[in-house]
């Protein structure tokens, strides 16, 4: 690095330059904040894409009412203000990609994992600070490549977030030269994914090493906060499930730029002409490699959320988590099982009933540990003196929302009922209930909960409650009608929302309900954004380092934690959730306090 | 570098895990690499089984050159482990000799690879020729990238990175061990690639 | 696993490869009857044997190297 311009601060100490401190920082907290801000921006971009799509779904063929948006997007994308079908497909594919790979995972693992894991295990930093820094920058490059792909000829990827071959091979193939083939939406999608996979590889190695190697004295495995367990298992999933997608990505990239036929079967006919290719490839191979990543990815999305919710519920019920150990063992089992359920996404590919039966069985088995964790969280509420703080509201709403998302997955996991529901809006409703009012609510809860530790100020309560209640109503307004449409048989990738389909006529009106709910949801997020920035500068200052009266180690640091985190290296004396212990003076016993004074 | 945080267990093992940080890190990384190459080998199997024609590697690939490269890589793993042993015996001069030889082996491997590739491309055998050639170029190309990555690490430990031997000898020895584990893995991948691509008979040709 | 252990594992696999390659040179339809391959097969077997001796020597010499 070329910036050796160290500034000397006013207090005589030798300080790092601005660039080393805030841009190319190796401090896990700064990197966590960088991840957090970037991923929130990407979440917002991904949400904007879908809000645009929802106009076309609710009012198919009508010009978009905001003239400046049409002008900005240009005639090619919005001819006469009406969305072009290709652009609709781009928005769909990139909404999924951005939300999952650039939004939720970097926020859940990159931001929360980076910021909190070293604090919760009592470490001064991550095990490999420089790798940690490069993980963020590689992620950012991957994200920028994805955004850049909107502006190449033919636009961004448009084969769905799953990029199924051979569709993804033949859509906008590019010209004859290597560069013209590389600078196409789908090829850049693959290049971007390689960056994101590299980033998550570096991040996950770091989190695992930090938890295994840098735990404070006395912090045995069964004293580890559930949040750390969730991050540990998530990291293992990222570590082991992503490489097969990387392999698949390399092969699809070879197909697109080097003319190979890994995923192109012999004699494929495209637009009435037989495709010139060596052939002999297997389209199904892509699906296997893709879902080998993408099913564990579902648990990457949900486990950190469960971790956050567990912390907040224990803190706000003022009692220990019910069944902490069974939650830990369930999460481990869940992580293991998530590697052998992938083909339940492929029941309709003709794999055969034997293979279907196997994957249907493993899918039913994996629902057991998820339900154990959810039940344990529910039972944790029993008999608690619940504080209805904003983070707790989000955490409480998470439970039924994730419950709906999980239970609606069961009919999809059974090969028979999946025949009817496959690729309908029911599927969209199912996984959005898991990820949107599920994971995103948990992440919001986490932001409200740890905001005082990061900034030294609380977020505004009233604005937080407005944000919560509107979001809760709007989320259900968006996603519940999808179940109804899906069961009516409306397919998931229709450009006109089903307008030209006879069987969709009875449920067409729901498109308007969903779209208006989505825009209301967007408005509610503005409240959050205002609250977020206003509270950074003008929020109520916290009265001490432990405003929620919590037990885990991150609250034993100064606020905000300085470089190196702890004033003195903590020693751990007890489990993570010693709330309302018998005979104690206060209703909580922090992990690092030897005994009640 | 001011305000540097001292991360524990960079030079000594943590008692309860028996590992220093980088060793755990590199094994996790190798686990991930196993999944990467595992996916490619699985793809090889699936494509081969599903295909009705498959070339015999020896017919169109250069077995003698590949054999030479196999010998080079096995020899380089020996020099790699000897360079680590030299540091353990506090013999820095021998370390430099052995590490230099390891680096040289990487250079030879890449030169041979270059000759092999240009021979193929010169005969019009490109990735687009057939699924076999596609997977040949993909797997050996990815492996060659891994060799280059290993050479960058080894070159660093031989050149600018060797200064650490003066300040933190234990940590430097650990770095060499970690680089050696990675280098051995890259060699091991080749040991599997060689028979799979060059020796296995074809079908339907 | 230390580098020492991984090296031993690697050499074991290499020995197997030497034996396999030797068998391929002498036995496979492709290479059978070509004198260069016959010679290569014999060299490969010898190399495999040499690696076994090397492995034993390595294990003895590096006993205290962990």
């Amino acid at each position: 690095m070329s910036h050796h311009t160290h500034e000397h601060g006013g207090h005589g100490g030798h300080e790092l330059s601005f660039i080393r401190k805030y841009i190319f920082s190796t401090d896990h907290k700064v990197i966590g904040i960088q991840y957090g801000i970037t991923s929130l921006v990407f979440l917002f971009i991904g949400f904007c894409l879908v809000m645009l799509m929802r106009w076309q779904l609710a009012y198919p063929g009508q010009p978009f009412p905001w003239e400046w948006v049409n002008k900005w997007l240009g005639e090619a994308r919005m001819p006469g203000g009406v969305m072009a079908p290709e652009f609709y497909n781009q928005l769909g594919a990139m909404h999924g990609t951005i939300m999952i790979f650039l939004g939720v995972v970097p926020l859940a693992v990159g931001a929360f994992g980076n910021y909190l894991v070293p604090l919760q295990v009592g470490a001064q930093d991550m095990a490999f600070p420089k790798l940690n820094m490069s993980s963020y920058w590689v992620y950012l490059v991957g994200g920028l490549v994805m955004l850049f792909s909107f502006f190449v000829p033919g636009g961004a990827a448009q084969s769905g977030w799953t990029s199924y071959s051979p569709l993804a091979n033949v859509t906008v193939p590019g010209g004859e030269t290597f560069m013209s083939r590389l600078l196409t939406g789908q090829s850049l999608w693959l290049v971007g994914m390689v960056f994101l996979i590299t980033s998550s590889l570096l991040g996950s190695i770091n989190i695992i090493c930090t938890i295994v190697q840098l735990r404070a004295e006395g912090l045995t495995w069964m004293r580890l906060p559930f949040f750390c367990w969730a991050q540990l298992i998530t990291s293992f999933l990222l570590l082991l499930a992503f490489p097969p997608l990387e392999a698949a990505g390399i092969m699809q990239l070879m197909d697109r730029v080097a003319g190979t036929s890994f995923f192109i079967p012999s004699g494929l006919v495209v637009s009435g002409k037989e495709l010139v290719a060596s052939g002999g490839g297997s389209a199904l191979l892509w699906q296997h490699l893709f879902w080998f990543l993408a099913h564990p990815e579902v648990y990457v999305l949900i486990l950190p959320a469960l971790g956050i919710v567990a912390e907040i519920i224990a803190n706000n019920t003022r009692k220990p988590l019910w069944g902490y150990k069974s939650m830990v063992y369930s999460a481990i089992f869940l992580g293991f099982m998530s590697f052998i359920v992938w083909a339940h996404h492929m029941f309709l590919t003709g794999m055969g009933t034997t293979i279907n039966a196997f994957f249907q069985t493993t899918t039913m088995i994996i629902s057991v540990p998820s339900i154990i964790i959810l039940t344990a969280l529910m039972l944790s509420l029993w008999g608690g003196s619940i504080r209805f703080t904003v983070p707790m509201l989000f955490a409480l709403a998470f439970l039924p929302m994730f419950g709906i998302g999980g239970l609606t997955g069961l009919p999809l996991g059974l090969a028979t009922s999946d025949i009817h529901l496959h690729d309908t809006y029911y599927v969209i409703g199912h996984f959005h209930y898991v990820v949107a009012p599920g994971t995103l609510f948990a992440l919001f809860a986490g932001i409200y909960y740890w905001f005082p530790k990061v900034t030294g100020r609380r977020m505004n309560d009233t604005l937080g409650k407005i944000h919560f209640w509107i979001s809760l109503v709007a989320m259900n307004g968006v996603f519940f009608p999808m179940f109804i449409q899906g069961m009516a048989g409306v397919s998931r990738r229709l450009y006109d929302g089903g307008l030209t389909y006879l069987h969709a006529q009875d449920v067409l009106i729901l498109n308007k309900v969903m779209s208006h709910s989505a825009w209301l949801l967007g408005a509610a997020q503005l409240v959050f954004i205002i609250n977020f920035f206003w509270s950074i500068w003008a929020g109520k200052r916290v009265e001490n380092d432990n405003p929620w009266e919590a037990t885990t180690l991150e609250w034993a640091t100064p606020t905000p934690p300085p470089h190196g985190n702890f004033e003195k290296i903590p020693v751990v004396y007890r489990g993570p959730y010693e709330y309302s212990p018998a005979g104690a003076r206060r209703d909580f016993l922090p992990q690092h306090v030897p005994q009640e004074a | 570098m001011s305000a540097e945080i001292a991360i524990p267990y960079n030079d000594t093992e943590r008692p309860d895990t028996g590992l220093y940080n980088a060793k755990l890190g590199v094994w996790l990384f190798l686990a991930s690499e196993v999944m990467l190459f595992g996916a490619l080998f699985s793809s090889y199997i699936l494509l081969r089984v599903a295909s009705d024609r498959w070339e015999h590697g020896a017919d169109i690939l250069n077995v003698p050159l590949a054999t030479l490269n196999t010998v080079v890589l096995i020899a380089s793993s020996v020099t790699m482990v000897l360079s680590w042993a030299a540091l353990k015996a506090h013999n820095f001069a021998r370390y430099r000799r052995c590490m230099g030889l390891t680096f040289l082996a990487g250079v030879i491997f890449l030169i041979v690879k270059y000759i092999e590739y240009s021979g193929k491309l010169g005969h019009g055998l490109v990735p687009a020729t057939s699924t076999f050639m596609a997977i040949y170029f993909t797997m050996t190309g990815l492996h060659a990238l891994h060799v280059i990555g290993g050479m960058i690490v080894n070159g660093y430990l031989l050149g600018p990175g060797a200064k650490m031997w003066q300040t933190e000898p234990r940590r430097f020895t650990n770095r060499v061990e970690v680089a050696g584990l990675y280098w051995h893995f890259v060699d091991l991948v080749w040991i599997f690639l060689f028979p799979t691509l060059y020796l296995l008979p074809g079908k339907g040709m | 696993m230390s580098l020492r252990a991984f090296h031993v594992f690697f050499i074991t696999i290499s020995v197997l490869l030497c034996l396999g390659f030797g068998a391929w040179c002498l036995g496979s339809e492709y290479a059978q009857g070509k004198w260069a391959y016959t010679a290569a097969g014999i060299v490969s077997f010898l190399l495999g044997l040499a690696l076994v001796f090397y492995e034993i020597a390595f294990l003895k010499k590096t006993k205290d190297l962990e």
Side-chain angles (χ1 to χ4, degrees), chain A residues 173-187:
Chain A
E176 286 303 307
T177 59
F178 174 80
M179 276 317 274
S180 74
R181 287 170 162 267
L182 186 66
L183 290 179
T184 52
Q186 184 62 31
S187 300

Side-chain angles (χ1 to χ4, degrees), chain B residues 23 27 56 58-59 63-64 67 70 74 77-78 81 84-85 88 177 180-181 184-185 187-188 191 194-195 199, chain C residues 1-4 6-11 13-14 17-18 20-21 24 28 30 37 47 51 54 58 62 65-66:
Chain B
K23 191 185 261 186
W27 276 109
H56 181 191
D59 284 335
V63 177
T67 313
T70 311
I74 294 176
S77 79
V78 174
V81 81
W84 174 61
K88 283 276 187 186
E177 183 179 14
L181 288 168
H184 271 67
F185 173 80
D187 294 351
L188 191 63
I191 299 288
F194 172 55
L199 304 185
Chain C
M1 190 165 24
S2 71
L3 181 56
R4 178 177 180 261
F6 195 30
H7 185 67
V8 169
F9 173 73
F10 175 77
I11 294 297
I13 299 285
S14 299
L17 178 75
C18 284
F21 182 64
W24 183 84
S28 85
Y30 174 81
Y37 278 103
L47 197 67
L51 281 178
Y54 163 75
F58 178 81
T62 58
L65 198 82
E66 273 299 332

Side-chain angles (χ1 to χ4, degrees), chain A residues 263-421:
Chain A
F263 304 122
I264 300 176
S266 303
L268 186 69
V269 176
V270 180
S271 332
K273 274 185 286 187
E274 194 174 329
L275 199 72
V276 184
S278 59
S282 164
L284 210 54
L285 176 61
W286 170 267
Q287 294 193 25
H288 278 297
L289 292 173
F290 181 84
W291 288 114
F292 189 86
L293 154 86
H295 200 83
E297 180 77 10
V298 174
Y299 295 93
V300 169
L301 296 168
I302 199 65
L303 276 170
L306 288 166
I308 292 170
V309 168
E311 299 296 308
I312 293 171
I313 284 187
N315 176 260
N316 284 292
T317 54
R318 316 305 294 165
K319 60 194 274 285
L321 278 184
W322 191 89
Y324 164 80
K325 273 191 185 176
S326 45
M327 283 173 71
V328 169
Y329 293 133
S330 297
I332 295 171
F333 183 62
L334 193 79
F336 172 75
M337 286 300 289
S338 73
F339 282 100
I340 46 173
V341 296
W342 79 89
H344 67 210
H345 296 267
M346 300 161 59
F347 284 146
L348 265 71
T349 57
M351 295 181 298
T353 45
T354 316
I355 294 180
N356 282 3
F358 172 80
F359 282 102
Q360 151 179 316
T361 310
T362 53
T363 305
M364 292 305 119
I365 291 171
I366 202 174
S367 64
V368 175
S370 328
I371 291 171
I372 291 175
I373 295 176
L374 196 61
T375 311
L377 289 172
M378 293 264 196
L379 288 176
S380 299
L381 304 174
W382 187 265
S385 50
I386 299 177
R387 307 190 298 202
F388 288 99
T389 58
V390 177
M392 186 59 170
L393 288 177
F394 276 100
L396 285 175
F398 167 89
L399 299 177
M401 294 294 112
F402 174 60
I404 293 174
L407 291 175
T408 52
L410 291 178
L412 296 171
L414 292 164
T416 322
S417 42
D418 184 54
I419 293 173
H420 179 62
L421 297 171

Side-chain angles (χ1 to χ4, degrees), chain A residues 480-503:
Chain A
F480 201 82
M482 290 186 179
F483 293 131
I484 301 166
Q485 278 203 339
M487 282 192 273
V490 181
S491 192
R492 68 187 275 195
R493 295 196 202 275
L494 299 178
Y495 164 65
D496 61 0
L499 185 67
T500 50
Y501 290 77
L502 191 60
H503 67 266

Side-chain angles (χ1 to χ4, degrees), chain A residues 397-541:
Chain A
F398 167 89
L399 299 177
M401 294 294 112
F402 174 60
I404 293 174
L407 291 175
T408 52
L410 291 178
L412 296 171
L414 292 164
T416 322
S417 42
D418 184 54
I419 293 173
H420 179 62
L421 297 171
H422 185 84
D423 251 353
T424 64
Y425 263 100
Y426 183 91
V427 181
I428 311 277
H430 153 65
F431 69 71
H432 277 88
Y433 259 101
V434 175
V435 180
T439 301
L440 279 179
F441 268 21
L443 294 175
F444 278 130
I447 292 173
Y448 283 102
Y449 183 65
W450 280 292
F451 193 89
K453 179 46 69 182
V454 179
T455 63
R457 294 171 188 272
R458 286 169 186 269
M459 286 178 81
N460 182 287
D461 244 23
T462 315
L463 288 177
K465 280 177 183 159
I466 294 171
H467 174 218
F468 168 74
W469 285 109
I470 301 181
S471 295
L472 182 66
V473 174
M475 284 273 193
N476 284 286
V478 180
F479 300 118
F480 201 82
M482 290 186 179
F483 293 131
I484 301 166
Q485 278 203 339
M487 282 192 273
V490 181
S491 192
R492 68 187 275 195
R493 295 196 202 275
L494 299 178
Y495 164 65
D496 61 0
L499 185 67
T500 50
Y501 290 77
L502 191 60
H503 67 266
Q505 298 305 315
D506 290 343
V507 289
L508 270 186
I509 182 72
L510 293 176
N511 277 335
K512 293 198 173 60
V513 176
M514 290 189 274
S515 290
H516 287 279
S517 301
W519 301 324
L520 178 66
L521 185 61
Q525 303 324 300
L526 295 181
V527 178
F528 170 73
I529 294 170
I530 292 166
N531 190 359
F532 188 85
F533 285 104
W534 182 80
S535 302
I536 290 178
W537 286 287
K540 209 174 100 196
R541 280 187 186 283

